Amino acid sequence: MSSFSGAETRDHHPGTSPPPSFLLLQKPLLIFLFIILITLQTDGAPAAVMSVSPGLADLSRLYQTEFVRSARAVGVLWAVCTLCFAIIQVVILVQPSWIGTTDARIHRVGAPLPSGTMGLFEVCMESDWLVPDCRGGLSSLSPLPSFQSVAVLVGVSLWAVWTSVLCLCLFRFCSAATVYKICAWLQLTAGFCLALACLLFPDSWESPEMRVLCGDSVGSFSPGNCSVHWAYILAMLGILDYAILATLAFVLANRQDALLPPDTSDVTAGLLSA
């Protein structure tokens, strides 16, 4: 009897562990509370996402729309300028107006000196007729002997710029950033070759053709009685134009990789995958 009462006293002592029956009731209660917490968190998460997602989605949509519009406008302007200068490049190559005589030759004392202009493929002398007397031409594909290297460089520049124009068709098959980078490198190549041609052209002035047209005082980087004409000046401006077009193409290519802000790109990807 005493042992039973002692056991009962030990079981209900405040410092001892709870009885097994209480443990059996405690475990289901904890499991039930855990399930309720998980349910509340699961139900509350979509509401939080829905409360934040519309604002971020509108921001990303607005940013993308405005950027795409401005990028397309600048891209169209860049393509039109590229096409226009490709046509101008053909004019630079074929026109016999790189260098020519000046009006001061008329006032010289003595026998009249010939007057005319000269290009990379053709020499044109003024005559009594309205049409000048021209020798050579692009049809023979044979530049003047003193300007062969210059003609080759201008031809390579012409090939590069027209290749960049043809690469505009790749926008339907490749990414815009790739096409912009290809065109930028082609335009840099065209500008580099045209710059070399403009540097080599004055170095080639000491030639028989130049002596006939510009007198015996002509020499390397010394035009004698002649002066540069509009075709050579246009070629010099073309170097700057190629630099601007290539830089703009590189900028457009780098911007294509950043159509969306980095903070909203993950949210937009999550919304699309949901």
Side-chain angles (χ1 to χ4, degrees):
M1 188 70 180
S2 61
S3 63
F4 178 77
S5 60
E8 185 177 0
T9 304
R10 285 195 305 268
D11 293 340
H12 292 83
H13 194 272
T16 60
S17 61
S21 60
F22 181 77
L23 292 175
L24 294 176
L25 294 175
Q26 186 180 11
K27 291 181 178 179
L29 182 62
L30 293 175
I31 295 174
F32 180 71
L33 291 175
F34 183 70
I35 294 174
I36 291 177
L37 290 175
I38 293 178
T39 305
L40 291 176
Q41 290 180 358
T42 306
D43 294 338
V49 172
M50 292 302 294
S51 63
V52 178
S53 297
L56 293 177
D58 294 339
L59 177 62
S60 64
R61 191 179 301 110
L62 177 62
Y63 182 86
Q64 184 176 7
T65 302
E66 293 297 329
F67 180 82
V68 167
R69 286 179 180 177
S70 60
R72 285 181 178 176
V74 176
V76 169
L77 180 62
W78 168 83
V80 171
C81 292
T82 301
L83 179 61
C84 291
F85 197 77
I87 299 174
I88 294 175
Q89 183 80 8
V90 177
V91 177
I92 292 174
L93 181 66
V94 302
Q95 283 296 316
S97 299
W98 281 62
I99 194 168
T101 56
T102 59
D103 296 335
R105 300 179 55 139
I106 302 176
H107 304 287
R108 290 174 60 91
V109 179
L113 297 175
S115 179
T117 58
M118 180 183 298
L120 302 180
F121 291 85
E122 195 173 11
V123 178
C124 293
M125 297 291 186
E126 293 183 3
S127 60
D128 296 335
W129 300 92
L130 296 178
V131 180
D133 183 15
C134 296
R135 177 171 55 87
L138 189 62
S139 58
S140 60
L141 294 178
S142 177
L144 298 178
S146 56
F147 300 140
Q148 288 182 354
S149 59
V150 179
V152 169
L153 288 172
V154 176
V156 173
S157 177
L158 180 65
W159 168 83
V161 68
W162 275 104
T163 304
S164 67
V165 172
L166 295 178
C167 286
L168 297 178
C169 302
L170 297 178
F171 277 108
R172 298 182 59 89
F173 309 102
C174 303
S175 63
T178 303
V179 178
Y180 279 128
K181 289 178 182 178
I182 293 174
C183 293
W185 283 111
L186 287 172
Q187 289 170 354
L188 281 180
T189 303
F192 179 74
C193 292
L194 192 60
L196 287 180
C198 292
L199 288 176
L200 290 178
F201 179 70
D203 190 47
S204 306
W205 284 346
E206 192 173 0
S207 62
E209 295 86 359
M210 287 287 296
R211 292 184 183 278
V212 171
L213 184 64
C214 302
D216 295 333
S217 60
V218 70
S220 181
F221 293 93
S222 177
N225 299 320
C226 296
S227 62
V228 293
H229 277 208
W230 61 267
Y232 181 74
I233 298 174
L234 194 60
M236 294 288 291
L237 294 176
I239 301 171
L240 180 61
D241 184 71
Y242 281 133
I244 295 174
L245 290 177
T247 303
L248 183 58
F250 278 123
V251 171
L252 290 173
N254 293 330
R255 289 292 185 131
Q256 293 299 317
D257 299 330
L259 281 177
L260 292 176
D263 297 335
T264 59
S265 59
D266 297 337
V267 175
T268 306
L271 291 174
L272 294 175
S273 61

